[in-house]
Amino acid sequence: MLRAGTEGLEDSHIKKIFGDQGIQQAHQWQQTGRLEAFLEWKQKNRVQQSLFIRLTSQCQDPEALQKLKKRAPRQAALLEAASKLQSGLLCSWSLLQQEGFQDRSLLRSLEEKGFVTLELMDRLRNPLANRIDGGLCLSLEPAQKAALDKILPQIRKGLFGEHLLFGVTGSGKTEVYFQAAAEAIGLGKQVLYLVPEISLVPQLAAKAADWFGDEVAVLHSNLTDGQRFDEWRRIDQGSAKIVFGPRSALFAPFHDLGMIILDEEHENTYKQSEPEPRYDARDAARILARAYGAVLVRGSATPDLGTFFRGKTGKLTISHLPSRIQGRSMPPIRWIDMNREMREGRPYPVSQPLLEALKETIAKGEQAILLMNRRGFHTYILCRDCGRSIECPRCSIAMTFHRSSGQMKCHYCDYETRLPGRCPHCGSSALQYMGTGTERVVDFIAQRLPEAKILRMDMDSTRSIGSHTEILRDFQSGKANILVGTQMVAKGFDFAKVTLAGILHIDGVLNLPDYQSSERAFQLMVQTAGRSGRGDWPGQVMVQSFFPQNPLFRAVESYDYEGFYEHEMALRRALGYPPATRLARILVSAYDEEAAAQRIETILQHCRKALGPNADSVTWLGPCKAPLERIKNRWRYHLILVSGSLAPLRRSLEAARLLAATFGDEPRVILDMEPRSLL
Ligand SMILES: [Zn+2]
Ligand SMILES: [Zn+2]
C-alpha cells in the first residue's frame, strides 16, 4: 500500500506505525530510502494496513466545492469519487485506485485544503468486530434494514429459511447480503455467494475484499489449476469464509455453511442443461441450505416467475426494496417505433434518436451500454430468388456471417465455412445479407460516431481466459465509452458512469417459440435499463421495436414487476404452463429421423403404461419435432409432460430412463425435469 513512494508519507502515518520515538528514526530511514523497503517487507509478512480517506465537513460546503472544481478539477474528481465510494465517512485508497486514481499527491493537496484527513487503519480481519465498532458500517435505508431484520434471527438460530430480496436494480441488495454474511461469519460459519456469470465475480469479490479482507475466496473455471487447488484448500481448512462463484461452487468443501446467496436468481445460467448432470443450482442450493441449517437468500429485481409464485404461496419470505438507494430514480424508458423510422428512411440498426443520445452521452463524458442479443455481423443470408436462407448443413439453423473471420458460422455446432457464391438451393447468385449482430452494430456506430470508443462483449470476444475481466476493466476505467454486447451486458454490473442503456432488438426475444419468452424479454429490458443511472447522473433508456404498442412494454416502462407477474400468471394458468404446473421434457435425437420419431413414440407408450391409472394426471404434449429439429446432423423429437405435481413426472422420467438404457448409445435420450428451454 505504501509502496507508492516515501514522499507520500505523512508524520501522522509514521507515528501510527512506529510511535512517537520512531518518528526521528523513520525520517532518517525515509531519507536514505530504507523505509520503503521496510514497509514492503512488513507487507509481505501480512501486516495489513490500508490508507483511508476521511471526508471532513468542508465537503458539505457547496461554495468550497465549486471553487475546487474550477481550480483543481482532478482533486475535485477524486473527492467526488471518494464521496460516492465512502462507507460512513471513510473511503479506502485501494478502492479509489480500482477506480483509476493513481496519483497520491492529489490526496495531500486535498488534506492541505481541509477536505479530507488521511488515516492508516488495520485491514479488517474480523468483519463482525468491525460491524460492532461501526467503523465501516454502511448506513442502511429502512427497507434494507427491514429485510435484514427478517434474515438475521434465522442465521443466529442456525435455522433453514428461504428469502427473496425483491429489489429494483440499484436498491442496495449487495449491502444486505454483506451485512447478513458478516453475521454468519461472526458466528464462525461460511457463506456461499453464487452468481449467474463468472464475469460478475471480479467486481463483487473486490467489493467483498473491502469488507472481509483475506477471508474471500473465488471459484470459477477461469482459474488456473493451481489457483483452484489453493482456493479449494482454503475453503476446506476454513480460512476462506465467503466464497464467490457460479453454480459449480455449490460443490466446494464447506464445513459449516451459515448462508447461501443466490444473486440475480432469475438467470437461467443457474440451470445446467448440457452436459449431464442436469441440475438447477437454485434447487440444489435450497437442499444444501436445509442440510446445514443455513439461510438461503435469493435476490433479483425481476425474480423468476416460479420464485415469486413460491413467495406468494408462502413458501419463502419476500422482502421488498422498492427504490434505489440515496433517492436515485429509475431511468425513464423511451420506445422507438422502428416501423416509422424505416418508413422515413432513417438509420438502421441503430435509430436516429438513439444515435443522437449516444452522441450527447459521449460528449458529456458519460458511458452507454447497448444490448444486441445476437452476435456476428449478419445473422442470415437470404436468396432473393427462392426466398430460402443458407442453413448449416448439419443443423436446421441459419448460418451467421462473421466479418472478423470472413466466414459463415453455425452458432449451434460451430461449423464454419466460406461464403458461397451461389444459393445452395437454386443456384441463384442474388444473395442478400440480412439481420444484425453485435459486430455490425459496432461497425455501424463507428462509422457514424467516429469519436466513440467501443468495446464488444459477446461469446466471440470473450473466448480466451481473462478476456471478460479485461473488457469490463477497460470499460470501468473509461478507456471506452460504449459497451455493445449480448445479454452478458445486462447482468448485474455496476458502472457509475453509465447513463444511457439501449436495447436494439427486443422483438427477437419476444418472438422465440417458448412459453417463457415474455418473461425473458421483461427481465432483459428491466435489467438492461437497470445498468443506467446508477451513479450521480440521471440515466435514460431507449428500446427499439417494430411493435411498440405491445402491452408488455407498459409494465416495463413503469418498472411494474407485480403487474407483469399478475398478467403473465393469468396466461400461464390458462395455458397450463409453470409455475402453476410442473413440466418435464423427454428428447430423443438420432442421425436417422425415422428412428428418432419411432423411439419417442415407444417412450410415450412405456411411460403411460408405467403410470397405469395415473396416466391421466399428466398432459402429454407431443411427441413431435423439437423447434430446433436438427442439430449436428441429429434429428430431434420431443415429448413434453405437464402435471399439477412432480410425482408422476418423476415416475415417468424414471421409466424412460430404464427403457433408454436398453437402447445402447443410439438414439440419445435426454431427460430434463423442469427444463428452462424447450427449443
Ligand atoms: Zn435460392
Ligand atoms: Zn450447425
Side-chain angles (χ1 to χ4, degrees):
M1 188 58 61
L2 293 173
R3 275 184 68 193
T6 46
E7 76 280 3
L9 278 178
E10 303 289 329
D11 277 2
S12 59
H13 304 153
I14 297 168
K15 201 167 134 186
K16 279 223 171 81
I17 305 174
F18 300 104
D20 279 328
Q21 299 91 330
I23 281 199
Q24 219 175 357
Q25 181 68 67
H27 273 175
Q28 250 176 29
W29 285 346
Q30 204 177 350
Q31 276 154 15
T32 53
R34 282 173 63 195
L35 182 59
E36 189 179 356
F38 178 65
L39 284 172
E40 209 185 321
W41 176 82
K42 286 194 78 169
Q43 181 82 6
K44 276 193 192 131
N45 281 272
R46 314 192 84 84
V47 173
Q48 298 211 337
Q49 286 209 309
S50 300
L51 178 59
F52 282 85
I53 294 123
R54 185 183 289 279
L55 306 182
T56 66
S57 56
Q58 196 174 311
C59 297
Q60 310 293 335
D61 178 358
E63 253 175 57
L65 285 176
Q66 203 53 40
K67 227 164 83 185
L68 184 71
K69 235 180 201 163
K70 256 193 218 137
R71 297 206 182 141
R74 285 171 64 219
Q75 291 171 33
L78 192 150
L79 196 62
E80 193 170 359
S83 69
K84 235 182 297 152
L85 295 168
Q86 63 171 322
S87 316
L89 286 169
L90 285 172
C91 173
S92 83
W93 173 237
S94 66
L95 219 58
L96 285 161
Q97 283 177 313
Q98 283 164 26
E99 292 287 306
F101 293 96
Q102 300 301 337
D103 186 358
R104 279 190 33 159
S105 67
L106 295 177
L107 288 182
R108 279 224 312 279
S109 313
L110 282 170
E111 191 178 32
E112 276 161 20
K113 289 178 186 149
F115 285 102
V116 303
T117 57
L118 304 180
E119 299 177 16
L120 274 177
M121 288 169 55
D122 281 352
R123 208 156 112 185
L124 317 162
R125 295 304 175 101
N126 181 347
L128 189 65
N130 163 62
R131 222 172 49 80
I132 289 168
D133 74 34
L136 283 184
C137 175
L138 284 169
S139 53
L140 293 177
E141 315 230 342
Q144 290 172 308
K145 210 178 157 307
L148 262 181
D149 287 344
K150 290 186 207 159
I151 298 168
L152 292 186
Q154 284 181 323
I155 291 182
R156 289 185 193 125
K157 284 188 205 139
L159 288 177
F160 168 76
E162 188 174 356
H163 296 261
L164 170 67
L165 276 188
F166 167 44
V168 297
T169 52
S171 59
K173 292 188 281 289
T174 315
E175 284 70 24
V176 177
Y177 299 147
F178 281 4
Q179 289 273 8
E183 184 77 22
I185 292 168
L187 294 168
K189 299 188 175 184
Q190 289 172 305
V191 173
L192 170 59
Y193 193 125
L194 291 172
V195 293
E197 173 100 26
I198 57 171
S199 55
L200 287 167
V201 172
Q203 211 180 36
L204 265 174
K207 214 174 190 177
D210 252 46
W211 281 62
F212 305 108
D214 279 353
E215 294 171 329
V216 176
V218 296
L219 279 179
H220 54 75
S221 55
N222 271 3
L223 299 179
T224 63
D225 286 351
Q227 285 173 326
R228 192 171 312 124
F229 175 74
D230 284 351
E231 294 294 72
W232 197 265
R233 225 175 30 167
R234 287 178 56 225
I235 297 167
D236 187 34
Q237 291 165 350
S239 61
K241 299 291 191 201
I242 178 164
V243 180
F244 291 81
R247 59 178 187 244
S248 57
L250 275 170
F251 304 107
F254 296 102
H255 285 285
D256 190 5
L257 271 176
M259 171 159 107
I260 303 177
I261 295 155
L262 269 166
D263 201 6
E264 308 290 347
E265 66 91 38
H266 59 278
E267 292 284 357
N268 276 341
T269 42
Y270 279 122
K271 163 101 188 194
Q272 173 157 325
S273 301
E274 208 56 56
E276 283 189 306
R278 290 180 187 83
Y279 69 97
D280 195 316
R282 292 165 287 200
D283 297 330
R286 187 184 313 123
I287 292 164
L288 197 64
R290 200 172 261 139
Y292 276 107
V295 173
L296 175 63
V297 181
R298 318 165 74 117
S300 176
T302 53
D304 182 76
L305 227 58
T307 304
F308 209 72
F309 178 71
R310 293 183 60 240
K312 289 269 179 185
T313 49
K315 294 201 177 79
L316 59 83
T317 311
I318 300 180
S319 291
H320 196 187
L321 309 180
S323 49
R324 285 188 161 179
I325 48 170
Q326 294 165 10
R328 289 175 187 140
S329 55
M330 297 302 293
I333 299 178
R334 177 175 163 196
W335 308 95
I336 298 169
D337 182 346
M338 291 310 284
N339 283 313
R340 208 180 58 201
E341 296 291 312
M342 298 300 267
R343 263 201 317 273
E344 292 173 9
R346 298 170 79 187
Y348 180 86
V350 184
S351 63
Q352 191 65 36
L354 185 49
L355 275 173
E356 278 159 19
L358 282 170
K359 203 176 164 74
E360 272 170 39
T361 303
I362 297 173
K364 281 190 286 186
E366 296 165 5
Q367 292 178 309
I369 285 183
L370 296 183
L371 172 76
M372 175 71 232
N373 40 291
R374 293 182 303 191
R375 58 201 167 95
F377 199 87
H378 288 289
T379 50
Y380 60 104
I381 299 165
L382 198 69
C383 169
R384 271 188 306 200
D385 280 328
C386 72
R388 296 170 73 178
S389 63
I390 300 183
E391 290 192 345
C392 169
R394 301 192 280 190
C395 311
S396 53
I397 299 291
M399 304 269 285
T400 297
F401 172 58
H402 287 252
R403 205 169 67 171
S404 49
S405 61
Q407 301 267 73
M408 292 195 307
K409 229 187 253 177
C410 168
H411 287 174
Y412 280 84
C413 71
D414 276 339
Y415 174 81
E416 268 186 77
T417 182
R418 275 192 13 248
L419 284 173
R422 297 184 168 278
C423 169
H425 308 294
C426 73
S428 159
S429 58
L431 295 178
Q432 193 169 10
Y433 295 85
M434 308 285 290
T436 300
T438 45
E439 277 186 18
R440 185 170 167 213
V441 171
V442 170
D443 186 74
F444 186 87
I445 298 172
Q447 282 179 20
R448 278 161 184 80
L449 302 174
E451 71 272 31
K453 282 171 276 173
I454 312 167
L455 283 169
R456 177 165 62 89
M457 187 156 96
D458 55 27
M459 247 164 76
D460 301 310
S461 70
T462 55
R463 268 179 213 275
S464 62
I465 285 185
S467 48
H468 256 129
T469 319
E470 204 174 303
I471 293 173
L472 294 172
R473 203 190 298 126
D474 284 354
F475 191 59
Q476 174 119 40
S477 68
K479 276 190 197 160
N481 36 34
I482 301 178
L483 178 64
V484 174
T486 50
Q487 13 202 318
M488 287 179 186
V489 300
K491 284 184 185 159
F493 298 114
D494 194 353
F495 298 113
K497 274 195 165 172
V498 171
T499 55
L500 172 64
I503 302 172
L504 303 184
H505 187 58
I506 198 64
D507 299 340
V509 180
L510 280 164
N511 293 338
L512 279 178
D514 188 316
Y515 74 94
Q516 302 161 100
S517 58
S518 289
E519 186 182 359
R520 288 287 91 78
F522 182 87
Q523 288 165 348
L524 210 49
M525 283 187 275
V526 171
Q527 291 291 339
T528 309
R531 301 310 117 215
S532 173
R534 295 173 78 94
D536 285 349
W537 306 277
Q540 58 171 331
V541 182
M542 290 189 173
V543 186
Q544 303 185 162
S545 172
F546 284 93
F547 311 97
Q549 64 284 2
N550 189 328
L552 174 68
F553 294 169
R554 305 291 82 80
V556 173
E557 68 195 7
S558 46
Y559 295 97
D560 180 12
Y561 174 84
E562 291 186 83
F564 161 75
Y565 171 84
E566 295 301 339
H567 183 258
E568 181 69 15
M569 277 304 292
L571 261 176
R572 300 261 181 109
R573 278 203 186 90
L575 297 171
Y577 276 121
T581 58
R582 312 307 280 266
L583 210 108
R585 181 200 207 195
I586 302 174
L587 185 136
V588 174
S589 75
Y591 293 113
D592 176 10
E593 185 177 0
E594 193 61 24
Q598 272 174 9
R599 284 297 162 90
I600 192 80
E601 187 62 43
T602 314
I603 291 175
L604 168 65
Q605 299 314 331
H606 188 74
C607 289
R608 292 192 69 110
K609 217 160 82 192
L611 287 185
N614 290 327
D616 290 338
S617 67
V618 174
T619 308
W620 311 84
L621 302 175
C624 61
K625 268 184 195 167
L628 296 174
E629 58 182 45
R630 198 166 56 105
I631 293 181
K632 295 186 197 176
N633 282 330
R634 305 184 73 96
W635 292 92
R636 306 165 81 241
Y637 278 73
H638 69 176
L639 169 66
I640 291 166
L641 293 67
V642 188
S643 174
S645 64
L646 276 178
L649 300 184
R650 284 212 185 98
R651 232 178 317 145
S652 302
L653 290 201
E654 182 56 18
R657 191 182 66 80
L658 291 173
L659 179 66
T662 66
F663 294 168
D665 291 342
E666 270 297 308
R668 257 185 92 190
V669 179
I670 289 173
L671 309 169
D672 199 352
M673 188 61 99
E674 313 215 55
R676 287 294 171 158
S677 162
L678 297 179
L679 295 180

